[in-house]
Each structure stands twice: as C-alpha cells, then as structure tokens.
Amino acid sequence: MVRRKAKLTIKQSIVWSIVFMMVASVFVYYFSADSHVKVLSCKNNYYLSDSEVYDLANVSTKTRLYLMPSILFEKRVEKMPFVESCKISKKNRKLTFDVQEKLIVGYYVNDNKNFALCQDGTSIEIEEQYLNMIVHFPLLSNFNARQRKKLCEQFQKHSKILTRDLIEKFAEIVPYKTSYDNNMFKITMQDGNIIYTNLKSIKMLSKYQSVLTKLKGQSVCLVLDSTHSTIEKVNCDDFTSKKKDEKQKENSEEEKEETPQEAETSEDQSSEAESENEAEWVYDENTGVYYHEAIGMYYDPNTGEYYDENGTYYYWDEDSQSFVEAY
C-alpha cells in the first residue's frame, strides 16, 4: 500500500509564510539597535530628578521600546510615595514620562527620622537616598500633629496661590505666640527676611515676591494682616524686644497682684499641680500634646488649649476648680 505525501494547499502555504516572516521580523527587530529607546525624556517632575525617575521605572537606552508595555513603567514610578501619577508616551523611539508629584508643604523630624508633610495632610518618611529633596521645602520646627493638620488645610484651601515655587522660598516655619494671637507663625525666608503671619493671613504669602522688589535693606521683618489687607514692615529688633517686654510685663503684673502669703500658697498649689501633672499628664511625642487618661482630656503646650476626643475645647475655671466647655 503506497502512502501519499501530504501537500500544503496554497492558502496554508501563505499562512505559514506570513507566520515565518513575522517570527523572523520580531527576531531581527529584537536584536537590532532600532528596538532600543533612543531618547529618554521627563517632564513636570519637581522633586525627583530625571535620572531618579528612570531608575524607578528601570529603563535606559538599552530598553526595547515596543516590547515592554507602558503601564509596566508607569506602575513602577507610581510606587514611589511622592508620585501622584505617571503617564508614558512612545513616539519615534522616544520614551517620555509625564510625572505629577504630591505637593510637599515642609518636612519635620521625629525619632531621628525625616518626614515630608504633604498638602493632603499625609506624612511620608524620606528615605536616605532622597534626602537631597529637602532643599525644595522648609523645615517645620516645634509643630505638633494638630498644628500640621491646620497648616495643610490652608495650603489645600489656597492651592492656586500657595504653590511649589513659593514654598521653595521658605527656609523654616516655627509656631509663634504674641499677646494678641497665640497661633501665629514665624517664617524665615531663604533670603534672610522674616515673615510673621497667622493661619488666616497665610494666603497673603503669595504677595511676597511683589513686596520684595520694594524692600530696602537686609533681614527685613514683615507682618501679614489679611483683616486689613496689609503687609507691614517692622524693625526685627523692635518686634523681638516687644515680645520680651510683654512677657516681663505679664510676669510683673502677676507678682504685684499676689501678696507674699498668696504667693506662698500659690507656689504650694503649683507644686501640687505639677506633681499631679507629672503623674497623670502623659506626653505623646508623635502628636506633641499631653493626655490625661482619668479625665479623657488633651493639653496642647504650644497653644495652651484643652480639648477632648470629640474636639470640644475647655478652659480651667478657678471658681469651680473644674474644666468648663469653652465653645
């Protein structure tokens, strides 16, 4: 019995020829220089350098452009906590990264670790390899968690004017108290000038650049007042000495009001109160406030405010010797 040899039809021959040509083309393309990225480009990145973005995506000019899906590169970059989103475009052997980063208000130190405070109120630990980023935003000194939250709320509210370019002009922000406002901030600028403002007036920082052209001298101090829409130039020494005089005046008035016997009694009571506070008020380094477990009350040493877990504020009433709801 003679077996017939199987013959390919014309249609099958064409199909196999196309498959062979495709495989051969892919093989040739894979090993040719034309498969590699010729140009790497990055835009809208502010804190991260171009090379840091490429390292996150794990790409180089040896990466084969069309054999790797764009979403793979995007996801790699978006794993970086400071990145909001990343979009990639491929054209003419050019790989372009469009990176949108989170806005960082400043950084603070806690337990010998550096944390970036983002506009949305979140905190991100700054790893050692990215410490060079802190040149772009100010140091937040002596802030507790509640103060940081309120600061972020203002930057969210006025996001169109409190921009990265403005933040980069700040060197340090510190909580500051005066006789008329316990919730002010002292902002030291990169150029050496100092600005005093409160939460309500912080939006006026956007006018700093225009005011700067009219200032004369170095180490100028400015006070922002949104109520009257004014930016007042003051003598730095006078402002500092004025605050010292206020403290001395307060202390002297307290001493005058007390007789020696009252002062002794007051001292005893203070000692008892301090002993009680040391025993029952526990300091939390993460929030920067004290907590009294027996009465369920928080005390903020920076603002002098008392409040409970529900956010209700209280003050100490001397007559009743108890906490009374403030508002």
Side-chain angles (χ1 to χ4, degrees):
M1 187 174 181
V2 181
R3 293 183 178 179
R4 293 181 179 180
K5 292 183 178 180
K7 293 183 178 180
L8 296 175
T9 64
I10 295 177
K11 185 177 181 179
Q12 289 174 330
S13 299
I14 293 174
V15 171
W16 279 108
S17 297
I18 293 173
V19 171
F20 177 78
M21 290 175 64
M22 290 178 63
V23 172
S25 298
V26 171
F27 183 81
V28 172
Y29 175 77
Y30 185 85
F31 288 101
S32 71
D34 291 336
S35 66
H36 294 167
V37 175
K38 186 178 182 179
V39 178
L40 287 171
S41 175
C42 200
K43 62 181 182 179
N44 293 324
N45 51 311
Y46 192 87
Y47 305 124
L48 295 171
S49 65
D50 291 0
S51 59
E52 286 173 332
V53 174
Y54 305 147
D55 288 342
L56 287 168
N58 193 21
V59 297
S60 67
T61 52
K62 293 182 179 180
T63 301
R64 291 177 172 82
L65 186 61
Y66 293 105
L67 297 181
M68 297 288 287
S70 298
I71 192 172
L72 179 63
F73 298 136
E74 292 170 353
K75 293 300 180 185
R76 287 175 180 173
V77 178
E78 288 174 350
K79 283 184 179 180
M80 206 284 179
F82 295 103
V83 176
E84 190 76 44
S85 65
C86 176
K87 296 296 178 184
I88 289 178
S89 61
K90 299 177 180 178
K91 187 177 181 181
N92 299 329
R93 294 178 61 190
K94 182 179 181 180
L95 191 62
T96 303
F97 291 80
D98 184 356
V99 181
Q100 300 296 326
E101 299 167 323
K102 294 182 178 179
L103 177 65
I104 299 177
V105 175
Y107 78 98
Y108 62 96
V109 181
N110 189 19
D111 291 334
N112 295 321
K113 296 179 181 179
N114 296 285
F115 292 87
L117 180 65
C118 300
Q119 183 191 45
D120 60 8
T122 60
S123 294
I124 302 172
E125 184 179 349
I126 307 175
E127 297 179 5
E128 187 174 355
Q129 67 190 94
Y130 297 115
L131 281 177
N132 60 318
M133 293 171 54
I134 64 176
V135 299
H136 295 292
F137 36 84
L139 171 64
L140 305 177
S141 300
N142 303 323
F143 275 78
N144 58 41
R146 183 165 168 268
Q147 290 172 320
R148 290 195 294 266
K149 180 182 178 181
K150 287 190 173 183
L151 186 65
C152 288
E153 288 174 352
Q154 291 300 311
F155 276 85
Q156 291 175 39
K157 185 177 180 180
H158 306 290
S159 59
K160 292 184 178 180
I161 56 177
L162 299 179
T163 62
R164 283 190 175 97
D165 291 336
L166 180 62
I167 293 173
E168 197 166 45
K169 292 180 173 62
F170 306 156
E172 183 181 26
I173 306 178
V174 182
Y176 194 81
K177 292 183 180 181
T178 64
S179 60
Y180 54 88
D181 195 338
N182 289 331
N183 300 303
M184 293 190 71
F185 299 108
K186 176 183 177 182
I187 304 176
T188 303
M189 308 298 286
Q190 293 285 3
D191 55 19
N193 295 330
I194 296 175
I195 296 177
Y196 296 93
T197 181
N198 55 21
L199 283 172
K200 187 178 179 181
S201 303
I202 204 168
K203 60 185 179 183
M204 295 183 67
L205 287 168
S206 61
K207 301 181 182 295
Y208 177 73
Q209 193 62 40
S210 60
V211 174
L212 191 62
T213 58
K214 301 177 183 179
L215 295 178
K216 295 181 180 180
Q218 297 179 339
S219 300
V220 176
C221 288
L222 302 173
V223 178
L224 309 185
D225 184 2
S226 63
T227 304
H228 301 93
S229 298
T230 60
I231 299 179
E232 181 185 359
K233 179 183 175 181
V234 297
N235 186 293
C236 298
D237 294 334
D238 290 346
F239 196 87
T240 305
S241 61
K242 183 179 179 181
K243 186 178 179 184
K244 291 180 179 178
D245 293 340
E246 288 174 354
K247 288 185 177 180
Q248 292 175 355
K249 185 177 179 180
E250 289 175 1
N251 293 334
S252 62
E253 287 178 353
E254 290 176 358
E255 291 175 358
K256 289 179 180 178
E257 290 175 356
E258 291 182 343
T259 63
Q261 185 177 358
E262 289 174 338
E264 185 177 351
T265 304
S266 177
E267 186 177 346
D268 293 339
Q269 290 176 346
S270 298
S271 300
E272 291 176 3
E274 288 176 3
S275 300
E276 182 180 353
N277 286 337
E278 290 176 0
E280 299 181 357
W281 289 96
V282 180
Y283 182 70
D284 186 350
E285 293 184 355
N286 293 323
T287 61
V289 300
Y290 290 86
Y291 179 67
H292 198 304
E293 186 176 0
I295 60 177
M297 194 86 70
Y298 294 91
Y299 171 66
D300 189 337
N302 295 292
T303 62
E305 296 174 325
Y306 294 90
Y307 55 96
D308 60 20
E309 296 177 352
N310 298 321
T312 304
Y313 289 83
Y314 298 83
Y315 67 91
W316 179 257
D317 183 60
E318 290 291 341
D319 297 331
S320 62
Q321 290 293 298
S322 62
F323 287 103
V324 178
E325 186 173 335
Y327 52 87

